[in-house]
Amino acid sequence: MSKDIKKVVLAYSGGLDTSVILKWIALTYNCEVVTLTADLGQEEDLDGVDEKALATGASRAYVEDLREEFARDFIFPMMRANVVYEGRYLLGTSIARPLIAKRLVEIAHAEGAQAIAHGATGKGNDQVRFELASMALDPKLKMIAPWREWNFRSRTDLTNFAQQHGIPLPVAASRKLYSMDRNMLHCSFEGGELEDPWSEPLEGSYIMSVPIEQAPDAPEYIELEYLQGDPVALNGEKLSPAEMMKALNTLGGKHGIGRLDMVENRFVGIKSRGVYETPGGTIMHIAHRDLEGICLDRESMHLRDSLITRYSECVYNGFWFAPEREALQKLIDETQKNVTGTVRLKLYKGNVVPVGRKSPFSLYRADLATFEEDEVYNQADAAGFIRLQGLRLLGYKK
């Protein structure tokens, strides 16, 4: 153990794992522990979490409302890129980690700490995300990852340690079926019956969205207004980024929108089955994509689309603060300057259906697209265009 570590800043939720980690770090490293609990819109009551951290041995406990920063500076830039990982996952857990890491580093600087710590396991992606972000922001800070260091191997081991040291156990901690992560963008579920890819998810995996069978039998129409790629108003009401996420989550959840059950490839090389609920993010993603159809030039759109996989890997693999992600963001934001307008959507039984779109920067021309008689397009011109396009194909197959 490093004798240079006198103070550590820990990402702390108040649950069993991070409570044990807090006490374990203090005892193992014989150091001060400062905690950070971030409100990212996980809809949990954080009252008393600071008192619990102090009672467990923390020297200081930060509880911070980061909802607006999370939506404005992390979710919205990512959504402007229309990013999905492996064609399906909207990156709800992935995008939260760089913000938490950023605040850990900032608090470490303010507190004069030598290290930061997290509760991610040695099998998952989060350890990579926390530590790569920390390396990018301050490579001098040391990292403590207890799940890679201690001898505990099960929840029973953690429970026994907690009881030995008088750490209050969370209500129903022993009965928790899933490993879950929730914020204003999504809720993820792993473990339990989900470890068998053939098993259908049980009712306990529904928190943000109702099952489709329980969704209303009548569709609901909404209008989502965008300004330079970001949603700014819902049904005519201006909303802040965090308010927008909350409102869309309520609408999407009501109609069973945003459920995903997939087996994905973790960065560390393990295939993992998870269920994700992303009701508001799904509405945003579909509406944004639809509005781009009338606002973006073809080649600009296709260039951006060719970068979706690259950008999604930056987010998923923990390279949010890497130069390539920042460069991609500049290009993407350039494409979004005219993505302004309104999309009308029908929400029904798990579906988000765009039914209308308009923009002051629309590139759509009815006089060109019409099937009726027009005076702006000579159809005979297409013959020469086709001949030129086909030159390279002449004699290709013999």
Side-chain angles (χ1 to χ4, degrees):
M1 301 302 171
S2 174
K3 296 181 180 179
D4 298 331
I5 297 178
K6 305 299 182 184
K7 187 182 287 190
V8 176
V9 183
L10 167 67
Y12 178 77
S13 69
L16 175 63
D17 289 25
T18 54
S19 294
V20 168
I21 286 171
L22 194 169
K23 179 65 73 173
W24 182 87
I25 290 175
L27 294 174
T28 303
Y29 285 84
N30 190 28
C31 67
E32 239 183 287
V33 181
V34 175
T35 62
L36 165 66
T37 303
D39 184 353
L40 301 179
Q42 59 265 45
E43 302 292 338
E44 291 179 5
D45 183 3
L46 298 180
D47 288 344
V49 70
D50 49 348
E51 287 90 345
K52 180 176 180 181
L54 295 171
T56 308
S59 61
R60 188 169 182 182
Y62 289 79
V63 180
E64 298 189 345
D65 184 350
L66 302 179
R67 289 175 294 179
E68 286 294 351
E69 182 180 3
F70 182 39
R72 181 189 66 240
D73 297 341
F74 292 82
I75 296 175
F76 277 27
M78 180 181 71
M79 298 297 278
R80 289 197 294 271
N82 275 341
V83 171
V84 287
Y85 180 69
E86 296 188 336
R88 294 188 284 173
Y89 171 40
L90 289 172
L91 297 163
T93 293
S94 314
I95 193 60
R97 298 322 186 214
L99 174 54
I100 297 172
K102 171 177 171 284
R103 284 303 294 142
L104 288 172
V105 170
E106 290 169 347
I107 292 171
H109 290 165
E111 291 283 341
Q114 297 77 40
I116 62 176
H118 61 76
T121 71
K123 282 187 175 182
N125 298 307
D126 281 343
Q127 58 180 337
V128 183
R129 295 165 184 154
F130 281 125
E131 296 180 35
L132 289 179
S134 175
M135 290 171 66
L137 297 171
D138 185 351
K140 294 181 181 178
L141 282 174
K142 295 180 173 62
M143 180 63 63
I144 297 176
W147 278 103
R148 301 201 303 256
E149 299 179 24
W150 62 22
N151 294 320
F152 301 144
R153 291 293 177 265
S154 67
R155 185 159 293 272
T156 299
D157 291 343
L158 299 185
T159 301
N160 291 338
F161 180 91
Q163 291 172 339
Q164 291 168 11
H165 294 277
I167 301 171
L169 294 175
V171 176
S174 62
R175 301 194 302 274
K176 186 176 178 181
L177 180 60
Y178 303 107
S179 173
M180 297 165 51
D181 177 79
R182 184 177 178 182
N183 57 51
M184 68 171 61
L185 182 54
H186 89 158
C187 186
S188 66
F189 304 85
E190 293 180 319
E193 80 281 354
L194 304 179
E195 292 187 353
D196 178 1
W198 188 249
S199 296
E200 182 176 357
L202 299 177
E203 291 183 3
S205 68
Y206 289 85
I207 289 181
M208 294 180 71
S209 296
V210 301
I212 292 177
E213 296 83 356
Q214 298 175 20
D217 292 328
E220 182 172 359
Y221 289 83
I222 65 170
E223 291 187 3
L224 196 54
E225 182 181 337
Y226 278 79
L227 176 64
Q228 295 187 341
D230 292 333
V232 294
L234 175 61
N235 294 330
E237 181 183 0
K238 299 290 184 182
L239 298 173
S240 73
E243 290 170 342
M244 179 65 73
M245 294 302 308
K246 186 176 180 66
L248 290 178
N249 279 333
T250 299
L251 284 167
K254 170 185 173 183
H255 290 278
I257 289 164
R259 289 276 300 182
L260 171 64
D261 178 352
M262 71 178 291
V263 175
E264 71 196 57
N265 291 291
R266 290 180 181 170
F267 192 25
V268 296
I270 299 173
K271 283 190 179 291
S272 172
R273 193 267 187 102
V275 167
Y276 300 104
E277 295 180 311
T278 319
T282 300
I283 295 173
M284 283 175 56
H285 176 73
I286 292 174
H288 178 257
R289 179 94 234 189
D290 187 77
L291 182 61
E292 287 183 320
I294 62 172
C295 296
L296 274 190
D297 164 75
R298 181 189 69 186
E299 295 306 314
S300 297
M301 178 187 288
H302 292 180
L303 175 61
R304 192 281 314 277
D305 286 354
S306 72
L307 301 173
I308 285 177
T309 298
R310 191 72 182 89
Y311 190 113
S312 70
E313 288 173 349
C314 287
V315 179
Y316 189 85
N317 294 342
F319 292 99
W320 179 260
F321 294 112
E324 66 272 23
R325 200 284 307 177
E326 293 172 352
L328 286 171
Q329 192 71 58
K330 287 182 172 64
L331 187 153
I332 286 159
D333 289 348
E334 181 67 24
T335 70
Q336 298 298 297
K337 288 183 176 179
N338 288 340
V339 181
T340 293
T342 303
V343 183
R344 189 168 71 252
L345 304 151
K346 179 165 67 174
L347 313 181
Y348 181 65
K349 295 288 186 182
N351 295 294
V352 182
V353 184
V355 294
R357 70 288 300 161
K358 62 182 179 180
S359 169
F361 302 105
S362 176
L363 300 176
Y364 175 80
R365 287 184 55 180
D367 59 342
L368 282 173
T370 183
F371 283 97
E372 301 301 325
E373 182 178 352
D374 70 80
E375 297 180 356
V376 296
Y377 185 85
N378 184 351
Q379 297 196 30
D381 290 344
F385 171 79
I386 295 169
R387 282 196 298 271
L388 291 176
Q389 292 295 318
L391 285 178
R392 65 187 183 88
L393 302 179
L394 299 178
Y396 176 65
K397 289 190 176 180
K398 307 209 174 177

